[in-house]
Amino acid sequence: MGLDDKADRRSDADETDQFTRVLGQAPPQGAPAPRDAPAGDRRDQAIRAAVEQGVVGPATPLAGLLDVDGIRAGAAALRAAFAEVGADGTRILHAFAVKATPLVPVLRLLHDAGIGAEVASPGELALARAAGIPPAHTVLDSPAKTPAELREALALGIAVNADNPQELARLDALVQSAPTRSPLGIRVNPQVGGGSIEALSTATATSKFGVPLRDDGAREWVVRAYLDRPWLTRLHAHSGSQGMPLDLMVGGVAATYELAEEINARAGHRRIDTLDIGGGLPVNFASDEQTPTFAQYARLLAREVPGLFDGRYGLVTEFGRSLLAKHGTLLARVEYVKSAGGRGIALTHAGVQVATRTVYAPESWPLRIAAYDAKGRPKSGPATGQDVAGPACFAGDLLARDRELPPLEQGDYVAVLDTGAYYFAHHYSYNSLARPAIHGFAARAGDGVRFSVVREQQRVEEIVAEAGGGARDALREL
């Protein structure tokens, strides 16, 4: 059976309708309008309700909370920001970077809000498909795609960005063997420089991602690749991430746009019809303020790269952290309080297993922490320096060192803020600690705060099974 035979049977007109549906400024029918209460107020209400309703407590001392209205509002703000600067009829697909929050209910919520999915593994693709995101709204990016991954993507009609010449050679063979409706392109590295977090900088001179445009002969190789392959119609670059200044992000997009213009000029027609500009908008982890905003970024792009929005190119974005970080809170009960060396230490159940980056690289990933009493009410009182520690058995398992907070007591709660992306959904199994439950919440007038389980807390039996509990004699048999 050929690739086209296995692909979805939607007509081309249907695919176009589904693609352009992502562009509009109006929310999808049936989606509740985001509430106007400030995010901090919604969070305080949710934390008190979580304690009162037993979402957290002595038996469940750790949980992740997701603000459903905040997520909807973020998706609406993203779509509105690019619709504002784009010419009428500009095709834009906003594809959420699944790695940021790989949870099926979150992907489903975003899909309802007009957001697709950017995936980088078979697992992420399976999550997107489980959420009901159609192939036409899905983009596959990864620097190490296997033949099987490529074959599946082409069979489904999912967009694919080839990372390097060897991967393009694999696509050559697959495209020749069977037809596909997948939009295909090449990822390039504009090599514009890095941000303040080296490990996240994807556009440095030696980045592992994409074809490095400033290396000898690389730019001409990319141009020839498009001239020789009429089925290559997209160009992709991702220059942003946490710690990346906006001017470098825009510089990466500008370099990609200029390359597309060169390729189209040399081809004598519009060979490249879509630019995938990636995501990576930084998040403010210092306060509740959302800055920079999608609108600020889109306006800066429109000013510096106006041809991007004049309607000649379709656009794809791949935002992740900036869509979810501000809408998640990790809530942990204070199990014990002690003092060492004259400094207080609050021992909680939130540590390296749910905040791995902060524990191992605190300078790059500091997090805000808010104190709540045993009833879930914000604590007040004179702030004093305290450590907020996690449960793992090593001394560095700290969410905060000498942090100024109202004095914490046994039975209080600490809220770790801005953790909706890359935190409690990315479990690190240190000490075989259980994955926490994750709950979505929404506050409704006259109905209080309602919670919905996104992911159940991991059971001890599941930990044993994952650790080979069903094969305990496997090594004795050798």
Side-chain angles (χ1 to χ4, degrees):
M1 183 179 291
L3 296 176
D4 193 54
D5 293 328
K6 292 190 237 179
D8 287 349
R9 298 296 184 180
R10 291 187 305 272
S11 68
D12 292 340
D14 288 340
E15 286 196 1
T16 300
D17 290 343
Q18 290 175 1
F19 187 59
T20 55
R21 182 176 66 81
V22 179
L23 314 183
Q25 299 183 51
Q29 292 184 355
R35 300 307 192 262
D36 294 328
D41 291 349
R42 293 198 303 268
R43 182 175 62 235
D44 286 347
Q45 292 176 38
I47 289 173
R48 182 163 184 173
V51 175
E52 292 174 347
Q53 298 180 33
V55 170
V56 291
T60 53
L62 177 65
L65 306 179
L66 287 169
D67 180 354
V68 171
D69 289 335
I71 295 171
R72 287 193 177 113
L78 170 59
R79 293 176 59 189
F82 279 76
E84 176 191 338
V85 299
D88 290 344
T90 300
R91 298 177 305 126
I92 307 176
L93 171 64
H94 297 296
F96 175 68
V98 173
K99 58 184 169 287
T101 310
L103 297 167
V104 171
V106 168
L107 303 182
R108 183 66 177 180
L109 181 67
L110 289 172
H111 174 55
D112 289 345
I115 307 296
E118 183 266 339
V119 301
S121 72
E124 289 184 357
L125 175 56
L127 296 178
R129 299 201 71 196
I133 299 175
H137 294 177
T138 306
V139 179
L140 174 62
D141 294 320
S142 164
K145 306 179 195 75
T146 66
E149 289 177 68
L150 293 171
R151 193 174 296 112
E152 180 183 17
L154 297 185
L156 292 170
I158 289 169
V160 176
N161 294 312
D163 179 81
N164 55 70
Q166 292 177 352
E167 185 180 338
L168 185 59
R170 283 182 173 174
L171 285 177
D172 280 333
L174 291 170
V175 169
Q176 290 171 13
S177 66
T180 178
R181 292 183 296 171
S182 290
L184 302 175
I186 296 175
R187 178 173 185 167
V188 296
N189 172 11
Q191 295 176 298
V192 293
S196 61
I197 304 177
E198 181 180 0
L200 296 189
S201 297
T202 59
T204 61
T206 58
S207 171
K208 74 177 187 179
F209 293 105
V211 179
L213 286 182
R214 298 185 182 182
D215 280 18
D216 290 344
R219 187 182 187 93
E220 181 61 22
W221 179 88
V222 172
V223 174
R224 290 305 321 174
Y226 281 88
L227 297 181
D228 293 342
R229 296 168 178 82
W231 43 268
L232 283 177
T233 60
R234 291 191 173 188
L235 187 63
H236 171 48
H238 171 74
S239 301
S241 204
Q242 191 66 23
M244 192 76 168
L246 290 188
D247 60 337
L248 284 185
M249 291 179 60
V250 172
V253 174
T256 308
Y257 168 80
E258 291 164 4
L259 177 59
E261 293 282 272
E262 178 183 346
I263 292 169
N264 286 343
R266 289 179 60 175
H269 63 278
R270 192 178 61 171
R271 174 62 54 81
I272 295 175
D273 60 23
T274 301
L275 294 175
D276 185 334
I277 63 173
L281 191 67
V283 168
N284 166 35
F285 285 99
S287 73
D288 276 344
E289 182 183 6
Q290 297 194 34
T291 180
T293 65
F294 293 122
Q296 290 169 336
Y297 181 47
R299 291 166 187 163
L300 183 59
L301 282 172
R303 187 185 75 194
E304 300 297 326
V305 197
L308 195 66
F309 297 100
D310 63 11
R312 290 177 300 128
Y313 292 101
L315 295 177
V316 177
T317 72
E318 300 173 356
F319 296 103
R321 179 183 294 106
S322 51
L323 268 170
L324 260 292
K326 286 289 182 185
H327 311 307
T329 299
L330 188 64
L331 187 60
R333 189 171 186 268
V334 177
E335 194 69 44
Y336 301 109
V337 172
K338 60 193 294 186
S339 177
R343 191 160 72 208
I345 303 172
L347 294 159
T348 79
H349 293 270
V352 72
Q353 86 280 25
V354 286
T356 312
R357 286 176 168 175
T358 293
V359 169
Y360 284 133
E363 295 80 11
S364 296
W365 297 101
L367 286 171
R368 293 185 294 145
I369 294 178
Y372 294 79
D373 67 18
K375 294 185 177 181
R377 301 170 301 192
K379 292 203 75 168
S380 59
T384 182
Q386 300 159 82
D387 290 352
V388 179
C393 289
F394 71 99
D397 186 28
L398 300 172
L399 295 185
R401 297 172 185 266
D402 201 17
R403 184 70 58 88
E404 294 286 325
L405 293 167
L408 291 167
E409 302 173 76
Q410 186 178 32
D412 284 347
Y413 291 88
V414 293
V416 192
L417 311 183
D418 308 326
T419 48
Y422 295 104
Y423 279 93
F424 49 68
H426 295 70
H427 192 73
Y428 174 35
S429 298
Y430 203 105
N431 280 147
S432 295
L433 292 163
R435 290 189 294 269
I438 299 174
H439 303 260
F441 71 85
R444 297 290 181 262
D447 197 22
V449 178
R450 296 177 59 190
F451 294 95
S452 180
V453 177
V454 173
R455 185 186 72 192
E456 296 279 2
Q457 179 175 298
Q458 187 182 28
R459 294 178 293 109
V460 172
E461 294 81 1
E462 294 173 314
I463 296 174
V464 173
E466 288 184 3
R472 67 176 185 177
D473 292 327
L475 299 181
R476 298 174 66 190
E477 297 168 357
L478 296 179

